[in-house]
Amino acid sequence: MTWSLAVLIGTALLQPFDAEAAGRKPARKASARVEAKVAKTKAVRTVLARRSAPEVEAAPARLSFGHIYGLHGTSDPLDLKSSVALVMDQDTNEVLFSKNPQAVLPIASITKLMTALVVTEAQQPLDEVLTITEEDVDTEKNSSSRLAVGSRLTRDEMLHLALMASENRAANALGRHYPGGLEAFVAAMNRKARELGMNDTHYAEPTGLSSRNQSSARDLAALVKYAHGNQLLREYSTSPEHVVSLGSRQVAFHNTNGLVRGGSWDIGLQKTGYISEAGRCLVMQADLAGRKLIMVLLDSAGKYSRIGDAERLRKWLVQGAASGVKAMASNGD
């Protein structure tokens, strides 16, 4: 179902019921006294609602690209909630599980893995102090941030917060302070993608807030494999928390990946992501069932579903169900 058709159907369903249009007779009018009481009651309720409810009406939920493309209709042996999944042996590149691995979708904050890679490989001074400015404020999704305009942190700390806590303003500041500015930084991101053979991948900005940042599970597996060789990316993406000084305050930031905070996984590198167009996303390198594996989950429906999918895959792998077997997607990969 296309997005426009879904909107039309949703709009039709939300229209008030019209008794006359349905061929029924309208109810008789109430007496003037009853009408007055009803009107007074409604007025009181309206005032109370306005006092307690937010001024802005909630926007209707947007379908992810995966839903629009019909990818969630693809079945798989584990009944994953992610429309795209890939598990690959890091050493041999053997694919143990795949579901729509060639689908090109928005990747949200998975983008920051490439952002961090470009920053570290440019060998810019990690102790240089960067300042958050109005240019770093999200005007696309209007997301919040704990880094107020004027906040000053070293490049090293910005890198840490971007990877671990998925701080958008930190990621944008890193791109702004690249030689040549944001435009040159995004060009470097796409150039690095080409070098890694990520031919399905395109970056438009360094945070992942734009749905124009897109990739496939196969490409992201290649990125994770390469990025795992970067010690700083391994360390910062897997630290449970990090405390920074913001003016006179000590502020603690936490990892966005519940599997890192839980401590039951042996994770070497990871990144999460979410915007409505991308759904919930997760990429990881982890030691599982005696192997070094790379796991990619894209467009998962539900707040905790990507974690649930990762656990289902781990159970399947540990039980030995993956030995020599590929779970082929219905699209014929």
Side-chain angles (χ1 to χ4, degrees):
M1 179 184 293
T2 64
W3 168 243
S4 58
L5 181 56
V7 170
L8 287 174
I9 293 174
T11 302
L13 291 174
L14 291 173
Q15 294 302 314
F17 181 77
D18 187 335
E20 291 184 352
R24 299 178 183 176
K25 294 181 179 180
R28 291 181 300 171
K29 293 184 177 179
S31 67
R33 181 179 298 176
V34 173
E35 286 182 339
K37 287 184 177 180
V38 170
K40 184 177 180 179
T41 301
K42 286 183 176 179
V44 172
R45 288 177 178 172
T46 299
V47 171
L48 292 175
R50 286 175 177 172
R51 288 178 181 174
S52 60
E55 292 289 336
V56 181
E57 293 183 3
R62 298 180 62 182
L63 292 176
S64 69
F65 281 29
H67 273 101
I68 294 172
Y69 298 155
L71 298 179
H72 279 271
T74 303
S75 61
D76 67 81
L78 301 182
D79 193 26
L80 300 181
K81 305 307 179 186
S82 302
S83 69
V84 171
L86 182 70
V87 179
M88 184 182 83
D89 187 294
Q90 183 178 358
D91 295 324
T92 67
N93 292 335
E94 179 189 2
V95 174
L96 305 178
F97 189 100
S98 67
K99 177 182 180 181
N100 297 321
Q102 293 177 304
V104 178
L105 297 173
I107 58 173
S109 286
I110 305 299
T111 296
K112 294 183 179 74
L113 199 54
M114 180 62 84
T115 297
L117 189 60
V118 171
V119 169
T120 55
E121 292 196 343
Q123 297 184 336
Q124 294 178 272
L126 292 178
D127 58 356
E128 180 183 353
V129 176
L130 313 182
T131 302
I132 299 294
T133 72
E134 290 287 351
E135 295 179 71
D136 303 314
V137 176
D138 169 27
T139 58
E140 179 146 358
K141 297 290 190 295
N142 297 312
S143 59
S144 61
S145 172
R146 299 170 71 191
L147 297 181
V149 172
S151 298
R152 291 166 54 82
L153 294 172
T154 64
R155 179 176 280 107
D156 184 73
E157 289 174 315
M158 295 280 194
L159 185 65
H160 199 157
L161 296 186
L163 279 172
M164 181 199 73
S166 211
E167 248 298 336
N168 293 313
R169 292 182 185 180
N172 199 73
L174 290 169
R176 275 196 308 106
H177 287 85
Y178 186 82
L182 271 177
E183 184 177 351
F185 186 77
V186 174
M189 294 173 73
N190 285 305
R191 186 165 56 250
K192 189 64 184 181
R194 298 291 86 77
E195 290 176 10
L196 296 177
M198 299 169 63
N199 297 319
D200 292 328
T201 302
H202 173 74
Y203 296 103
E205 48 81 36
T207 69
L209 288 166
S210 171
S211 60
R212 293 178 296 156
N213 290 0
Q214 300 188 5
S215 188
S216 65
R218 282 183 168 179
D219 278 11
L220 292 176
L223 174 61
V224 171
K225 181 173 182 175
Y226 181 85
H228 185 257
N230 187 307
Q231 183 271 333
L232 207 57
L233 269 60
R234 293 198 307 272
E235 178 185 344
Y236 286 177
S237 72
T238 59
S239 60
E241 71 170 19
H242 182 60
V243 178
V244 297
S245 297
L246 294 176
S248 60
R249 298 180 301 128
Q250 295 291 304
V251 181
F253 290 78
H254 299 89
N255 203 300
T256 56
N257 189 343
L259 297 177
V260 170
R261 300 194 305 270
S264 64
W265 283 62
D266 185 3
I267 300 173
L269 179 88
Q270 69 81 36
K271 188 70 195 77
T272 63
Y274 171 74
I275 55 174
S276 57
E277 299 95 327
R280 306 281 172 177
C281 304
L282 173 65
V283 297
M284 292 192 300
Q285 186 281 342
D287 286 1
L288 282 175
R291 308 173 79 164
K292 295 183 182 298
L293 300 177
I294 292 170
M295 187 178 296
V296 179
L297 295 168
L298 301 180
D299 189 38
S300 186
K303 186 174 182 180
Y304 303 106
S305 54
R306 62 188 170 191
I307 301 300
D309 282 353
E311 292 288 4
R312 277 184 279 274
L313 283 164
R314 177 167 74 160
K315 182 179 179 181
W316 181 72
L317 289 161
V318 170
Q319 289 177 341
S323 57
V325 179
K326 291 183 183 179
M328 296 296 185
S330 63
N331 62 353
D333 173 67

